[in-house]
Structure formats: structure tokens, C-alpha cells
Amino acid sequence: ININSSNMMALAPNNSNKRETVCIFGTGDFGRALGHKMIQCGYPVVYGSRSTQTSNLIPKDAEVLSHAEAAQKSAIIIIAIQRQHYNFLTPLAEILRGKVVVDISNNLKLNQYPESNAEYLAQLLPGARVVKAFNTVSAWALQSGALDASRQVFVCGDDMEAKQMVMNIVRALGLTPLDQGSLLAAQEIENYPLQLFPMWKFPIFLSLGLAAFFFFYCLALDVIYTYIYENNNFSFFIAITIPNRVCPVMALLLLGLVYLPGVLAAIIQLYRGTKYRRFPDWLDKWMLCRKQLGLIALAFASLHAVFTLVSPIRSFVKWRTSKAIISQALNNKTEPLDITNAWLSDSYLALGILGFFFFVLVGITSLPSVSNSVNWREFRFVQSKLGYVTLILCTAHTLIYGGKWFLSPSAYKWYLPNIYMLSLVVPCTVLVVKFVLIFPCVDKPLTQIRQGWERNPKYSE
Ligand code: NAP
């Protein structure tokens, strides 16, 4: 009866201004941070600890008692103790019967134990109403009140009423509870804080690998080759020249890789004549990390823009320019302006500037704050149409930059193509296939397939 009446109070917090006492087991970092926050929000806090001596670290308005005494003072007990020490709770099972016991623990590794910590706690205390909560909030965020993302508190548990009580506390602390369902969800919730940018892993490793490959490729052709055959020491190219070759190549290649899975998916759907069969796993995964690939591509493009801007103040460039002027003066002749070259160079720069502008625009719309404020159709329009405009502009920028050397044998040191030629393979393939895909005779069946039409329906009427 006692327990029920105290639960009723928590369920109807507006009936009285006085908040219900909360008990926290463990006076460690998290227990103290949570207790401090709760006291600030008006909850009387009582700690259950192995030692009842208070220290000045413990919030001064809190009481520190033995575990058994503390548990009797409250209907909610928060266990701020590592899982490996949970067995000390077994003798307290009777006292904790019927109480709301909150598991906030995390593990050090993904799927470290066969069952989640919360389920393990429920097994140890069969009479308790176990709720999982707070594990994704760090002690630091609780104390500093910073970090928007960590305002979300995932809550799960089998007892609806117990879950509501915990969610009320979460709300009172100024945090946002997210009901994740039954205690079965605890495993997943415990894995959240252990995940380190899951969607970023593949794009980051891929771009690091490719960037390293292109860097050494350039090093071989621009520094080692010139050293061996022309006896020039261009080792300082490592600082700006080579990075400024690798960055645009990476930006264009990764941008191509953002749009390649889309055209591959279209080809697969056309070939199969249905959209009701799953794509291969690798294609699914690839599609899911397109945003990350695009943002990394944008980072490389931005670096390329900055590297290009510093070009006039580089001593190598100044030396090369003055050498050309002096040699003209010594030979007493001036070279006439080459209009074709001027056109090529200006249009190559203009395409680069426009390409970068659209690149940034597409990047901005992928920010959650922006993408949340446009509807699905607008988002698709920007990401797909403007994305293709970016791809076309950047590919044209690269083609005009290097096109004139495609047929010149001197561009192939050691019979190897220059890296900007390599970077064109993926974007050109994507653009050519996309061009074919927009022809009405291909586009029509594809649109029909995407609306659910099947060439060989499995379930015919
Ligand atoms: P901690 O600083 O090591 O504190 C753990 C507390 O557990 C100790 O202060 C101690 O309190 C008690 N304890 C230790 N050994 C015990 C034993 N054998 N028997 C009974 N009680 C024992 O750890 P913490 O950082 O506060 O983390 C506590 C729990 O919160 C962990 O499960 C962790 O995964 C979770 N968590 C922590 C954070 C964070 O940012 N720190 C964030 C989310 C979740 P007494 O001396 O008072 O008995």
C-alpha cells in the first residue's frame, strides 16, 4: 500500500509541489552528478553507499545511508554502480521488491555480456520493477548542462507505471525521455554510447585509403620522377602542390561515388524488372553512407579552394613567373595574348567556382536543421538535381583543366596517367549512365517499376 501511494504521487506531480525522495546507490562520478542535478530540481536525494561518511564531494543536502536504509526511504532506486558489482544487491532483493530500480550502466565493449545489464539486474531482483534509463547521458553533460544531443534519455522497461515514473523524473530534470519499449530494448540502448560514428567509419577509411594512394602516386610522378630524370629537387611539392592535386581529385571522385550507387540501383531494378527484391548488402550500405561521402568530398573541395587561393604568394610560383618574364626580356620579345588559352583558363576557373558554390549549397541542405525544414520532395530536388549540377560543373572543370594534355605523351610519366585523369573515370561513367537513364524509353519503365509495376509479377491476380 505504501509503495502504491508513493507511486501515485509521482504519477501526479502537480498535486503537490513537494517532489518524492529518490534514492541513488553509489556515490561515484555519475551518482554524484545525477544527485546534484536532482537536488537542484527539487528532489530530496538519499544515497545508499558502502560507507556512510559524507565527503565534501557529495552534494551537501543529500543524506548518505547504508544501502538497506536508503532503499527504504524511496520508491525509486537508481543504481549508479558498475555491473560487475551488482551481486551485492542479491541480499537486498526483499527490500527492493516492488520498487522501481533504475539501471543506468554501460559496458566497455559492444555486446560484452550475453544479456543486457538491465535484464541481468531484473534476474538478480525478480520482485523489482527494472527500468533502463540515463545511460546515454554523461556525468559531465549532467553537471555542465551542455550538449544538445545528450538531452535525449532513452527509457525502456516492462512495467508501464514504473517507466512513467522515471520519465517524469527525466522531464523534471529538463531532459527529453524517449520511450524505447520493453526491457528487450536495453541491449540496443546499452550499445548506443559505445558506437563511434557508425555511419562515418566506411567513408572515412575509404577516403583515407584513396587519399594516401593518390598522395604516393603524385609523389612518385611529380617528385621522384623529376628527381631521377630531370635532376630537379621538387621535394617541397609535398607541402602544397601535391595536396592541391590530391584534394580536387578526392572531391570529384567521392562526389562521383555519392551518385554511382543511385545509377547502379536503377540498372539493377531495370534488369530485374521489379523493385520488390532487396539490393545486395554492399549496395544498401553504400546508399546509406552517401551523405557522409558527400560531406567528406565537400571538405576536400574546400581545402582545394583554399590551397588554390594561396598560390600567388608561393615563392615557387613567384620564381616561375619572374623566370618567364626575364627570359622574355632577355630574348627581347613579348608573347602575344593567347585568346584560346585565356578562354580555357577563365572558363575552367568559373566552372570551379560555380561547382564549389553548388557543392556548398548541397552540403548545407544536408544539415539536419535545414533538411528538417524542407519536405521530402524539396530535399530530393536539392540532393539529386543540384547534386548532379555540381557533378557536371566539377567534371567539366577538371576536363577543361587537363583535357588538352590527354593526347600528349609527355603527360604520361612512366606510362602512367596523371591523377586528374583517374579522378574522371567514376564521374564520367555516372554522368553517361545517368544521361542514358533519362531517355524516355528507359525512364518510363524505370518510373513504372519504382511505382510498383513488375515485369514478371510473383503474385498474379
Ligand atoms: P565510479 O565513479 O567508479 O562509481 C561507482 C560507485 O559504485 C562507487 O563510487 C561506489 O560507491 C560503488 N561501488 C564500487 N564498487 C562497489 C562494490 N563492490 N559494491 C557496491 N558498490 C560499489 O563509476 P561511475 O562513473 O559513477 O559509473 C557508475 C555507473 O554509471 C556505471 O555503470 C556506468 O556505466 C554508468 N554511467 C556512467 C556515466 C559517466 O559519465 N560516468 C555515464 C552513463 C552511465 P560507494 O563508495 O558509495 O559505495
Side-chain angles (χ1 to χ4, degrees):
I1 295 163
N2 225 342
I3 294 155
N4 279 343
S5 63
S6 54
N7 291 353
M8 292 296 286
M9 269 173 67
L11 272 174
N14 290 340
N15 289 353
S16 124
N17 282 333
K18 205 171 164 305
R19 305 240 198 223
E20 199 194 346
T21 305
V22 175
C23 165
I24 300 175
F25 276 8
T27 54
D29 293 337
F30 197 75
R32 289 197 311 267
L34 193 61
H36 187 74
K37 182 92 186 160
M38 287 188 158
I39 290 172
Q40 273 181 349
C41 296
Y43 285 96
V45 170
V46 42
Y47 281 102
S49 173
R50 289 166 303 173
S51 139
T52 50
Q53 280 174 340
T54 49
S55 80
N56 51 5
L57 283 175
I58 297 172
K60 70 174 182 331
D61 292 328
E63 219 179 332
V64 185
L65 303 171
S66 72
H67 291 118
E69 283 172 316
Q72 273 156 350
K73 294 223 166 187
S74 166
I76 296 187
I77 291 97
I78 297 174
I79 314 288
I81 292 168
Q82 317 279 356
R83 168 187 170 136
Q84 64 267 30
H85 306 309
Y86 277 5
N87 45 10
F88 88 95
L89 290 165
T90 324
L92 299 171
E94 264 322 299
I95 297 173
L96 296 176
R97 181 170 295 279
K99 304 231 176 202
V100 179
V101 177
V102 186
D103 179 291
I104 52 129
S105 63
N106 281 317
N107 294 324
L108 295 176
K109 279 191 295 210
L110 279 177
N111 302 321
Q112 191 174 352
Y113 299 101
E115 76 287 274
S116 68
N117 299 350
E119 286 166 302
Y120 172 63
L121 187 63
Q123 284 165 21
L124 284 179
L125 307 171
R129 303 143 86 192
V130 175
V131 175
K132 176 95 209 170
F134 288 114
N135 70 309
T136 51
V137 186
S138 76
W140 176 81
L142 266 181
Q143 267 175 333
S144 63
L147 282 174
D148 235 17
S150 49
R151 281 191 181 282
Q152 295 186 337
V153 174
F154 300 99
V155 182
C156 77
D158 291 337
D159 186 313
M160 281 305 279
E161 197 190 13
K163 201 158 61 174
Q164 279 306 329
M165 285 167 71
V166 176
M167 290 188 10
N168 283 339
I169 295 183
V170 172
R171 266 183 225 112
L173 300 187
L175 304 168
T176 315
L178 291 177
D179 189 345
Q180 299 288 291
S182 76
L183 215 53
L184 284 176
Q187 184 102 33
E188 205 179 312
I189 298 180
E190 284 170 17
N191 283 341
Y192 287 149
L194 294 171
Q195 285 169 348
L196 194 65
F197 302 121
M199 304 307 283
W200 283 91
K201 254 191 201 136
F202 172 70
I204 285 179
F205 283 126
L206 178 77
S207 20
L208 283 180
L210 283 172
F213 167 76
F214 286 128
F215 182 84
F216 288 112
Y217 194 93
C218 280
L219 190 72
L221 294 193
D222 296 329
V223 177
I224 300 176
Y225 183 94
T226 31
Y227 188 72
I228 297 177
Y229 293 100
E230 294 159 19
N231 209 13
N232 277 331
N233 181 359
F234 283 160
S235 54
F236 62 90
F237 273 15
I238 291 175
I240 291 188
T241 309
I242 296 183
N244 200 20
R245 275 189 197 156
V246 174
C247 286
V249 161
M250 287 299 295
L252 186 60
L253 178 59
L254 291 178
L255 188 63
L257 290 179
V258 170
Y259 291 95
L260 185 58
V263 297
L264 285 180
I267 295 174
I268 291 179
Q269 286 180 334
L270 275 173
Y271 172 76
R272 288 177 174 171
T274 175
K275 71 163 184 178
Y276 295 115
R277 266 171 59 199
R278 273 191 51 134
F279 289 129
D281 255 3
W282 55 266
L283 189 58
D284 255 350
K285 288 206 183 108
W286 189 355
M287 300 252 241
L288 285 177
C289 64
R290 284 181 291 182
K291 172 177 156 180
Q292 286 74 7
L293 281 172
L295 286 175
I296 297 177
L298 178 56
F300 277 112
S302 316
L303 280 177
H304 171 48
V306 177
F307 275 129
T308 307
L309 287 178
V310 299
S311 169
I313 56 169
R314 292 180 60 201
S315 83
F316 171 67
V317 175
K318 283 192 208 157
W319 169 82
R320 211 175 44 186
T321 319
S322 54
K323 197 178 115 178
I325 297 170
I326 292 168
S327 92
Q328 283 189 31
L330 287 177
N331 296 332
N332 201 13
K333 62 166 194 189
T334 45
E335 272 171 23
L337 176 66
D338 182 342
I339 299 288
T340 322
N341 240 349
W343 259 110
L344 282 177
S345 127
D346 276 7
S347 42
Y348 136 74
L349 289 173
L351 284 167
I353 292 168
L354 282 177
F356 185 62
F357 170 77
F358 279 102
F359 215 145
V360 172
L361 209 62
V362 176
I364 289 174
T365 52
S366 76
L367 292 174
S369 53
V370 181
S371 61
N372 288 346
S373 65
V374 296
N375 68 27
W376 177 235
R377 187 145 180 242
E378 290 161 344
F379 183 75
R380 280 273 306 271
F381 171 79
V382 174
Q383 295 295 321
S384 147
K385 300 285 187 307
L386 292 191
Y388 268 107
V389 170
T390 311
L391 188 61
I392 292 171
L393 288 169
C394 294
T395 309
H397 167 72
T398 315
L399 275 170
I400 295 184
Y401 163 75
K404 55 183 184 260
W405 293 315
F406 276 0
L407 296 176
S408 126
S410 67
Y412 297 86
K413 296 172 186 165
W414 280 326
Y415 303 105
L416 291 171
N418 216 311
I419 55 165
Y420 66 83
M421 300 183 191
L422 298 180
S423 77
L424 282 164
V425 177
V426 175
C428 287
T429 315
V430 171
L431 289 177
V432 170
V433 179
K434 183 72 187 173
F435 182 67
V436 175
L437 286 175
I438 54 176
F439 272 93
C441 57
V442 186
D443 184 53
K444 220 172 133 202
L446 187 63
T447 313
Q448 279 177 338
I449 289 170
R450 288 190 172 161
Q451 283 167 350
W453 174 84
E454 291 189 278
R455 197 181 300 133
N456 305 307
K458 205 164 157 193
Y459 308 102
S460 44
E461 286 151 34

